[in-house]
Amino acid sequence: MNYKKTLIASIAALAAVGFLAGCGGEKAAAPAKSAASDKAVTIKVGVSPVPHGEILNSVKDQLAKEGVNVEIVEFTDYVQPNLALNDKSLDANYFQHKPYLDEFCKSRGLNLVSIGTVHLEPMGVYSNKIKDIKNLPDGAHVAIPNDPTNGGRALLVLQSAGLIKLRDGAPITATPQDIAENPKNLQFSELEAPQLPRSLEDADIAVINMNFALEAKLDPKSSIYTESSDSPYANIVAVRAGDEKRPELQKLMKALNSQEAKDFINKKYNGSIKATF
C-alpha cells in the first residue's frame, strides 16, 4: 500500500514537472515569434535617376536601421514606373506629380494613389540660342513635353512668361490647340520629356522638367525662365490603392520627409529643387 502511494505520488510529481516545463517552453518560444515579426522587409521603389533616385538613396541607411531594405529601380521614362507599380513589380514609385498620376490613372484605368509629397522641381525654359526670353524671335520653334499634364504645365509656364495666352477654361492638360493668343506665332513641337534637352540643338527654346534637365547636366541657373515656386506640381510617392497603411511604406514616406532628406535636398541642389515639408 505504501509502495503504491509512493509510486502514484512520483508519477504526479513528474506530470507536474512536465506541465511546468511545457508552460515554460511556450514562454521561451515567444521571443522567437517576436523576432520573426521584426524581420527586415525589402521593398522595390521605382524612380527617375535624378533627383528622385539620389534623394531616396540618401535615406536608404536610415530605412535599413528601421528594418526596411530599399531596392531602387531606375526608369528613364514617365510610363513604365506606373505600369510596373500596377502589376506589382514595384511596391511604390517616386518620379511624378499628382496631376500626372491622376491623368495617367484615368486614361489607363489604374487605381494608384499618392501617400504624400516630397519635393518641387520647377520647370525651366532653356535655350542655346538666346540669353533672354524677351529676345525670342517671331516664328520661334518651341519644344514642350508631349504627355498631357506636363505639356499643359509647360504652356502655363509660357503663359506666365507672357509669350502666349490660353483660352478661358483651358484644362491642366491643355495642348497647343488651346492657345487663344500667340502674338509671336510660335511653332510648337511636342516631344517625349526625356528627349527635350537634346531638342536644344534645333529648337529656339525648350520647356524642360527639372529631373531631365539635371540628368542632361543642364545648370538650372542657366534657364532663361523658371516656373513660379507656388506651383502645385510637387513630386509624390505613389502606391497601389489599399497599400497606403503598409508599415514599410509609411516608414518610406517618413524617411523621405525627414530632416536628413531635407538637408540632402538643400545641399545637393542648392535651391533648384525645394523640399515640400
Side-chain angles (χ1 to χ4, degrees), residues 47-96:
V47 300
S48 294
V50 181
H52 308 79
E54 295 175 337
I55 295 170
L56 179 54
N57 195 60
S58 76
V59 297
K60 274 187 71 174
D61 290 345
Q62 176 183 335
L63 281 162
K65 292 176 183 177
E66 297 180 20
V68 180
N69 296 321
V70 179
E71 181 179 334
I72 297 176
V73 183
E74 295 186 345
F75 294 85
T76 57
D77 73 296
Y78 280 169
V79 176
Q80 294 306 315
N82 280 334
L83 297 181
L85 177 58
N86 184 68
D87 69 17
K88 299 186 179 180
S89 299
L90 301 174
D91 296 285
N93 68 41
Y94 167 42
F95 77 99
Q96 65 193 322

Side-chain angles (χ1 to χ4, degrees), residues 79 82-83 100-110 148:
V79 176
N82 280 334
L83 297 181
Y100 179 84
L101 173 67
D102 291 345
E103 180 63 25
F104 192 95
C105 289
K106 179 180 177 182
S107 65
R108 303 268 183 154
L110 307 185

Side-chain angles (χ1 to χ4, degrees), residues 124 126 210 213-214 217-224 226 269 272:
Y126 295 83
M210 181 66 74
L214 291 172
K217 307 301 182 185
L218 295 176
D219 182 357
K221 294 180 180 178
S222 72
S223 65
I224 59 175
T226 303
Y269 306 110
S272 60

